[in-house]
Amino acid sequence: MLFHVRMVVKFPFGLDKSRAEELKSAEKKFSQDLQRQGKWIHLWRVAGTYSNISVFNVETSEELHDILWSLPLFPFMQIEVTALSRHPSAIQ
Amino acid sequence: MLFHVRMVVKFPFGLDKSRAEELKSAEKKFSQDLQRQGKWIHLWRVAGTYSNISVFNVETSEELHDILWSLPLFPFMQIEVTALSRHPSAIQ
Amino acid sequence: MLFHVRMVVKFPFGLDKSRAEELKSAEKKFSQDLQRQGKWIHLWRVAGTYSNISVFNVETSEELHDILWSLPLFPFMQIEVTALSRHPSAIQ
Amino acid sequence: MLFHVRMVVKFPFGLDKSRAEELKSAEKKFSQDLQRQGKWIHLWRVAGTYSNISVFNVETSEELHDILWSLPLFPFMQIEVTALSRHPSAIQ
Amino acid sequence: MLFHVRMVVKFPFGLDKSRAEELKSAEKKFSQDLQRQGKWIHLWRVAGTYSNISVFNVETSEELHDILWSLPLFPFMQIEVTALSRHPSAIQ
Amino acid sequence: MLFHVRMVVKFPFGLDKSRAEELKSAEKKFSQDLQRQGKWIHLWRVAGTYSNISVFNVETSEELHDILWSLPLFPFMQIEVTALSRHPSAIQ
Amino acid sequence: MLFHVRMVVKFPFGLDKSRAEELKSAEKKFSQDLQRQGKWIHLWRVAGTYSNISVFNVETSEELHDILWSLPLFPFMQIEVTALSRHPSAIQ
Amino acid sequence: MLFHVRMVVKFPFGLDKSRAEELKSAEKKFSQDLQRQGKWIHLWRVAGTYSNISVFNVETSEELHDILWSLPLFPFMQIEVTALSRHPSAIQ
Amino acid sequence: MLFHVRMVVKFPFGLDKSRAEELKSAEKKFSQDLQRQGKWIHLWRVAGTYSNISVFNVETSEELHDILWSLPLFPFMQIEVTALSRHPSAIQ
Amino acid sequence: MLFHVRMVVKFPFGLDKSRAEELKSAEKKFSQDLQRQGKWIHLWRVAGTYSNISVFNVETSEELHDILWSLPLFPFMQIEVTALSRHPSAIQ
């Protein structure tokens, strides 16, 4: 099942710089593992902002929640989830 | 270049039913032609609504505009365009 | 899988009264069939408004979409879908 | 009487981690007591976010207020309350 | 139990003038009956607009819903309901 | 002259607890004095939130401003003021 | 007492042109009478829009309401009222 | 003096097609005259929508208002005006 | 040329009290100088809030910007600027 | 390809003053280099605010993103990007 997710990252003023770098590295590794597993099937940057638009292919909304909740940057993110379904005009 | 587009369709009360069906058929054909050309690369239904989330792969924003402006349902759509760029964590 | 759905009904001025009554009867029957099937598991009125808050238990977001799209009042509704997951403090 | 409540939790940057854990444990216990008493009759996680959607069955809005005000996480929550009534199409 | 209600009236262009006057008379009578019964305990005009702020004293949200749904102007109103409870600093 | 006022209290993270208690006591006393003078004629809690809905009966908007500006919790409040007038259907 | 009022005019599609002109003439006369009486003390056009920003000097919010409600264009206006008070830095 | 203007065009359902074409031709001519006079110094299409972003170079806000109010499509536009000033980092 | 300006002041928690008083005194003096010069022609308090509504009479938007940017409280303000023009019904 | 960008700068309370000055100088130099290269083709101040409206001429949205992401003030900015295309009435 597909979910469209928009994540916006806001680091609080005062967050230690090296801590932020650690979190970003962990986030990247976490994200790439999920991409390789075919769970996180699209990942785009929204041009000009610290945010992304993603599409996840998961079994259930439980699984989606567990993934997003585990993101290293989760505490610093605003997340908006939209459930998708097949479009009748899609040729794929 | 990739653009994320959300389209929401609102038919005015009073639109002739057969006219609406004609427009929807024309829209489907128009969309599928663009999908086959590799311009309209993703097309999903937003579950529970008369709207879609799409990704277009076009040369320029001119080309994107010309496509969207030519949609048979364009006069009945609200359209929101978001420019995308490559995400540094994307593995593709 | 559970989805939280809020539906708001707005009849356009000029809709024929008997047509509205037909649609409301059809909606009621449609809703009660789905309740009996265990798909539409909660249905509450938002006090003071022509809208409801519902919870659906469906296999996929496809199934949710097909149900909502088929509602007799769908053309006159604003619909907002929220994916739910199990809460770690829930005792059920 | 039924109330629909949406709670969103935002911990301020700088809140001590162990303090946050204490509050979350206390919140869980508090919530489960109310669930066992039949006051807090539904509790769902909104997928992908630190928030829940709940339904309370209480005698009065006073009682609802006293419960919500007493939540251990209350100072870190945004809370939105919606009064529900029976839906004429509900079969229960 | 007290509910705070804000009602905004919007007549559609094209509503027959005498029909509007009938509805307004019926609304006035309906409102005054409820005021005399002690259900509709406050009714103020929002200065400069066609809207009111009211407080209802009812047994349940069911009762509130039944009253508001029965307002002659209900089809032309936007209604927002807020549940009230006793304030700890109130001296009454 | 009547004014409808909605006040929402937000304490900043880091405000000293005993300072907050002092402010709340002062606020209560201040509010009750005005209630006894017949200036602050209604005071309700919005169920489930740290906010109130009030009605003030004052001579002028100057007087209203002076009262609200003097509230001990003023620096921590969002305040929204709405001017009221007599409703033609009110029986009082 | 001073009130700041913003009025936005929206004529519905289908309003007869000569009717619109009549209403605009009546509005102008009505407004100028109030200006001469010293009630409507400022009247500015918001550049580029069919709306104005005004300041009224009236005895009470009742009086303000009666004026605004009587505007010939009232049924086609969105009106927002803000109560003003003397600013401590004003030299007048 | 420079003003940034965003115009969004919404034709009402039911507007005669040939009337719309006349208005669009008149709008084009009107706009090009102002461009040639150096008043309307930038005119861009917002990609994917029936709206534009423009910059005007005028003597006063009066002049801006007179231009916008005279646009053939003015009755069908939402217009948002933003006053600009020289940026200290601009090299021109 | 006239501009309508709304300023809302928000002091951050933690700003030193005497520093705040200094800024407020400087702001008052700055404002009164401009009022005496005939630049800041109206200054009202929005009743019940720490904000004002002002009208400036300046040569250009440059001049307006320079004035607002120089306000001692500028770093703590949200500012909204609206360009005004003469209203055809104004008698002055 | 043209992009319209609005940037709003918000410095957090507590940012060191000399650090802010360094960032502003670096921003100015960075911006002027891009202006000289013909990438940042328009830069205006929004009168009365700490924000700008800009137009960029870049090859791709990737290039736009890389520029904006590299702005010295990027961590303190809210950025909104709008893709532009040629307007059919533009004479240039």
Side-chain angles (χ1 to χ4, degrees):
Chain A
M1 209 169 60
L2 300 183
F3 287 97
H4 177 277
V5 180
R6 173 141 187 191
M7 308 176 206
V8 181
V9 181
K10 297 197 189 186
F11 284 131
F13 181 67
L15 180 70
D16 185 66
K17 228 168 188 184
S18 63
R19 180 67 186 131
E21 289 311 314
E22 268 172 43
L23 287 166
K24 286 161 77 171
S25 298
E27 179 84 11
K28 185 171 194 167
K29 186 181 170 322
F30 188 93
S31 164
Q32 293 188 336
D33 287 351
L34 285 159
Q35 290 177 66
R36 282 190 202 97
Q37 293 168 45
K39 302 284 189 195
W40 193 328
I41 60 174
H42 298 291
L43 170 57
W44 297 290
R45 181 64 90 200
V46 177
T49 70
Y50 195 170
S51 78
N52 70 67
I53 287 177
S54 295
V55 177
F56 287 84
N57 185 8
V58 290
E59 292 303 307
T60 61
S61 53
E62 301 293 331
E63 188 182 359
L64 178 72
H65 182 71
D66 292 346
I67 287 170
L68 295 175
W69 187 268
S70 305
L71 293 172
L73 291 176
F74 181 80
F76 306 117
M77 279 179 172
Q78 289 184 315
I79 292 182
E80 189 186 353
V81 171
T82 306
L84 300 176
S85 58
R86 198 174 183 283
H87 195 286
S89 302
I91 59 175
Q92 296 171 297
Chain B
M1 210 170 57
L2 300 182
F3 287 97
H4 177 277
V5 180
R6 173 140 188 191
M7 307 176 206
V8 180
V9 181
K10 297 198 187 184
F11 283 132
F13 181 67
L15 180 70
D16 185 65
K17 231 173 185 179
S18 62
R19 180 67 186 129
E21 288 312 313
E22 268 172 43
L23 287 167
K24 286 160 76 171
S25 298
E27 179 86 9
K28 185 171 193 165
K29 186 181 169 323
F30 188 93
S31 164
Q32 293 188 336
D33 287 351
L34 286 159
Q35 290 177 66
R36 282 191 202 95
Q37 293 168 43
K39 302 284 189 194
W40 193 328
I41 61 174
H42 297 291
L43 171 57
W44 297 290
R45 181 63 92 200
V46 177
T49 70
Y50 195 170
S51 77
N52 71 65
I53 288 176
S54 296
V55 178
F56 287 83
N57 185 8
V58 290
E59 292 303 307
T60 61
S61 54
E62 302 292 332
E63 189 184 358
L64 178 73
H65 182 71
D66 292 345
I67 288 171
L68 295 175
W69 186 269
S70 306
L71 292 172
L73 293 175
F74 181 80
F76 306 117
M77 279 179 171
Q78 289 184 314
I79 292 182
E80 189 186 352
V81 171
T82 307
L84 300 175
S85 59
R86 200 177 181 282
H87 194 287
S89 302
I91 60 176
Q92 296 169 297
Chain C
M1 210 169 58
L2 300 182
F3 288 97
H4 177 277
V5 180
R6 173 140 188 192
M7 308 177 206
V8 180
V9 181
K10 298 197 187 185
F11 284 132
F13 180 67
L15 180 70
D16 185 64
K17 229 168 189 184
S18 62
R19 181 65 186 132
E21 288 313 313
E22 269 173 42
L23 287 167
K24 285 160 77 171
S25 299
E27 180 84 10
K28 186 171 194 165
K29 186 181 169 324
F30 188 93
S31 165
Q32 293 188 337
D33 287 351
L34 286 159
Q35 289 177 67
R36 284 192 201 93
Q37 294 167 42
K39 303 284 189 195
W40 193 328
I41 60 174
H42 297 292
L43 170 57
W44 297 289
R45 181 64 89 200
V46 177
T49 70
Y50 195 171
S51 76
N52 70 67
I53 288 176
S54 296
V55 177
F56 288 84
N57 186 7
V58 289
E59 292 302 308
T60 61
S61 53
E62 302 291 332
E63 189 183 358
L64 177 72
H65 182 72
D66 291 346
I67 288 171
L68 295 175
W69 187 268
S70 305
L71 292 172
L73 292 176
F74 181 80
F76 306 117
M77 279 179 171
Q78 288 184 315
I79 292 182
E80 189 185 352
V81 171
T82 307
L84 300 175
S85 58
R86 200 176 181 284
H87 194 285
S89 302
I91 61 176
Q92 296 169 297
Chain D
M1 210 171 57
L2 300 182
F3 288 97
H4 177 277
V5 180
R6 173 140 189 191
M7 308 176 205
V8 180
V9 181
K10 297 198 189 185
F11 284 131
F13 181 67
L15 180 70
D16 185 63
K17 235 179 181 173
S18 62
R19 180 66 186 131
E21 288 312 314
E22 269 173 43
L23 287 166
K24 285 160 77 171
S25 297
E27 179 84 10
K28 185 173 194 165
K29 186 180 169 325
F30 188 94
S31 164
Q32 293 188 338
D33 287 351
L34 285 159
Q35 289 176 67
R36 283 192 202 94
Q37 293 168 44
K39 303 285 189 194
W40 193 328
I41 61 174
H42 297 291
L43 171 56
W44 297 289
R45 180 65 89 201
V46 177
T49 70
Y50 195 170
S51 77
N52 71 65
I53 288 176
S54 295
V55 178
F56 288 83
N57 185 8
V58 290
E59 292 304 306
T60 60
S61 54
E62 302 293 331
E63 189 183 358
L64 178 72
H65 182 72
D66 292 346
I67 288 170
L68 295 176
W69 187 269
S70 306
L71 292 172
L73 292 176
F74 181 81
F76 307 117
M77 278 178 172
Q78 289 183 315
I79 291 182
E80 188 186 353
V81 171
T82 307
L84 300 176
S85 59
R86 200 177 182 282
H87 195 285
S89 302
I91 60 176
Q92 296 169 297
Chain E
M1 210 170 58
L2 300 181
F3 288 97
H4 177 278
V5 180
R6 172 139 189 193
M7 308 177 207
V8 181
V9 181
K10 297 197 187 184
F11 283 132
F13 180 68
L15 180 70
D16 185 64
K17 231 172 186 181
S18 62
R19 180 67 187 132
E21 288 313 313
E22 269 173 43
L23 287 166
K24 285 160 77 170
S25 298
E27 179 85 10
K28 185 172 194 165
K29 186 182 169 323
F30 188 94
S31 164
Q32 293 188 338
D33 287 351
L34 286 158
Q35 289 176 66
R36 283 190 203 94
Q37 293 168 43
K39 304 284 189 194
W40 193 328
I41 60 174
H42 298 291
L43 171 58
W44 297 289
R45 181 64 89 199
V46 177
T49 70
Y50 195 169
S51 77
N52 70 67
I53 287 175
S54 295
V55 177
F56 288 83
N57 185 8
V58 290
E59 292 303 306
T60 60
S61 53
E62 302 292 332
E63 189 183 359
L64 177 73
H65 182 72
D66 292 346
I67 288 170
L68 295 175
W69 187 268
S70 306
L71 293 171
L73 292 176
F74 181 80
F76 307 117
M77 278 179 172
Q78 289 183 316
I79 293 182
E80 189 186 352
V81 172
T82 307
L84 300 176
S85 58
R86 201 177 181 282
H87 194 285
S89 301
I91 60 176
Q92 296 169 298
Chain F
M1 209 172 56
L2 300 183
F3 288 97
H4 177 277
V5 180
R6 173 140 187 190
M7 308 177 205
V8 180
V9 181
K10 297 198 188 186
F11 284 132
F13 181 67
L15 180 70
D16 185 63
K17 234 178 183 173
S18 62
R19 180 68 185 129
E21 288 312 314
E22 269 172 42
L23 287 167
K24 286 160 77 171
S25 298
E27 178 84 11
K28 186 173 194 164
K29 186 181 170 324
F30 188 94
S31 164
Q32 294 188 337
D33 287 351
L34 286 159
Q35 290 176 67
R36 283 192 203 94
Q37 294 167 42
K39 303 283 190 195
W40 193 327
I41 60 174
H42 298 290
L43 170 57
W44 298 289
R45 181 64 89 200
V46 177
T49 69
Y50 195 169
S51 77
N52 71 66
I53 287 176
S54 295
V55 177
F56 288 83
N57 186 7
V58 290
E59 292 303 307
T60 60
S61 53
E62 302 292 332
E63 188 183 358
L64 178 73
H65 182 71
D66 291 346
I67 288 171
L68 296 175
W69 187 270
S70 305
L71 292 172
L73 292 176
F74 181 80
F76 307 117
M77 279 179 171
Q78 288 184 315
I79 292 182
E80 188 185 353
V81 171
T82 307
L84 300 175
S85 58
R86 200 177 182 282
H87 195 284
S89 302
I91 60 176
Q92 297 169 296
Chain G
M1 211 170 57
L2 300 182
F3 288 97
H4 178 277
V5 180
R6 172 140 188 192
M7 309 176 206
V8 181
V9 181
K10 297 198 188 184
F11 284 132
F13 180 67
L15 181 69
D16 185 65
K17 234 176 183 175
S18 62
R19 180 68 185 129
E21 288 312 314
E22 268 172 44
L23 288 166
K24 286 160 75 171
S25 297
E27 179 85 10
K28 185 170 193 166
K29 185 181 170 326
F30 189 94
S31 164
Q32 293 188 337
D33 287 351
L34 286 158
Q35 290 176 65
R36 284 192 202 94
Q37 293 168 44
K39 302 286 188 193
W40 193 328
I41 60 173
H42 297 292
L43 171 58
W44 297 289
R45 181 65 89 200
V46 177
T49 70
Y50 195 170
S51 78
N52 70 66
I53 287 176
S54 295
V55 178
F56 287 84
N57 185 8
V58 289
E59 292 303 306
T60 61
S61 53
E62 302 293 331
E63 189 183 0
L64 177 72
H65 182 72
D66 292 346
I67 288 170
L68 296 175
W69 187 269
S70 305
L71 293 172
L73 293 176
F74 180 79
F76 307 117
M77 278 180 172
Q78 289 184 315
I79 292 182
E80 190 186 351
V81 171
T82 306
L84 299 176
S85 58
R86 199 175 183 285
H87 195 286
S89 303
I91 59 175
Q92 296 171 297
Chain H
M1 211 172 55
L2 300 182
F3 288 97
H4 177 277
V5 180
R6 172 140 187 193
M7 308 176 206
V8 180
V9 181
K10 298 198 188 186
F11 284 131
F13 181 67
L15 180 70
D16 185 65
K17 234 177 182 176
S18 62
R19 180 68 185 130
E21 289 311 314
E22 268 172 43
L23 287 166
K24 285 159 78 171
S25 298
E27 179 85 11
K28 185 172 193 165
K29 185 181 169 325
F30 188 93
S31 164
Q32 292 187 338
D33 287 350
L34 286 158
Q35 290 177 65
R36 282 192 203 94
Q37 293 167 44
K39 302 285 189 193
W40 194 327
I41 60 173
H42 298 291
L43 171 57
W44 298 289
R45 180 65 90 200
V46 177
T49 70
Y50 195 170
S51 78
N52 71 65
I53 288 176
S54 295
V55 177
F56 287 83
N57 185 8
V58 289
E59 292 303 307
T60 61
S61 53
E62 301 293 331
E63 188 183 0
L64 178 72
H65 182 71
D66 292 346
I67 287 171
L68 295 175
W69 186 269
S70 306
L71 292 172
L73 292 176
F74 180 79
F76 306 118
M77 279 179 171
Q78 289 184 314
I79 292 182
E80 189 186 352
V81 171
T82 306
L84 299 175
S85 59
R86 201 177 181 283
H87 195 287
S89 302
I91 59 175
Q92 296 169 295
Chain I
M1 209 170 58
L2 299 182
F3 288 97
H4 178 277
V5 179
R6 173 140 187 192
M7 308 176 205
V8 181
V9 181
K10 299 198 187 187
F11 284 132
F13 181 68
L15 180 70
D16 185 63
K17 230 169 186 181
S18 62
R19 179 68 185 130
E21 289 312 314
E22 268 172 43
L23 287 166
K24 286 160 76 171
S25 299
E27 179 85 11
K28 186 172 194 165
K29 187 182 170 321
F30 188 94
S31 164
Q32 294 188 336
D33 287 351
L34 286 158
Q35 289 176 66
R36 282 191 203 95
Q37 294 168 43
K39 303 284 189 194
W40 193 329
I41 60 174
H42 297 291
L43 170 57
W44 298 290
R45 181 64 92 198
V46 177
T49 69
Y50 195 169
S51 77
N52 71 66
I53 288 176
S54 295
V55 177
F56 287 84
N57 185 8
V58 289
E59 292 303 308
T60 61
S61 53
E62 302 292 333
E63 188 183 359
L64 178 72
H65 182 71
D66 291 347
I67 287 170
L68 296 175
W69 186 269
S70 305
L71 292 171
L73 292 176
F74 181 80
F76 307 117
M77 279 179 172
Q78 289 183 314
I79 292 181
E80 189 185 351
V81 171
T82 306
L84 300 175
S85 58
R86 201 176 181 283
H87 195 285
S89 301
I91 59 175
Q92 296 169 296
Chain J
M1 211 169 57
L2 300 183
F3 287 96
H4 177 277
V5 180
R6 173 140 186 191
M7 309 176 205
V8 181
V9 181
K10 298 198 187 185
F11 284 132
F13 180 68
L15 180 70
D16 185 64
K17 229 168 188 186
S18 62
R19 180 68 185 130
E21 289 311 315
E22 267 172 44
L23 288 166
K24 286 160 77 172
S25 299
E27 180 84 11
K28 185 171 193 166
K29 187 183 168 321
F30 188 93
S31 164
Q32 294 188 336
D33 287 350
L34 286 158
Q35 290 176 67
R36 282 190 204 96
Q37 293 167 43
K39 303 283 190 194
W40 194 328
I41 60 174
H42 298 291
L43 170 58
W44 298 289
R45 181 64 91 199
V46 177
T49 70
Y50 195 170
S51 77
N52 71 66
I53 288 177
S54 296
V55 178
F56 287 84
N57 185 8
V58 290
E59 292 302 309
T60 61
S61 54
E62 302 292 332
E63 188 182 0
L64 177 73
H65 182 72
D66 291 347
I67 288 170
L68 296 175
W69 187 268
S70 305
L71 293 171
L73 292 176
F74 181 80
F76 306 117
M77 279 179 171
Q78 289 184 314
I79 292 181
E80 190 185 351
V81 171
T82 306
L84 300 175
S85 58
R86 200 176 182 281
H87 195 286
S89 301
I91 59 175
Q92 297 169 296

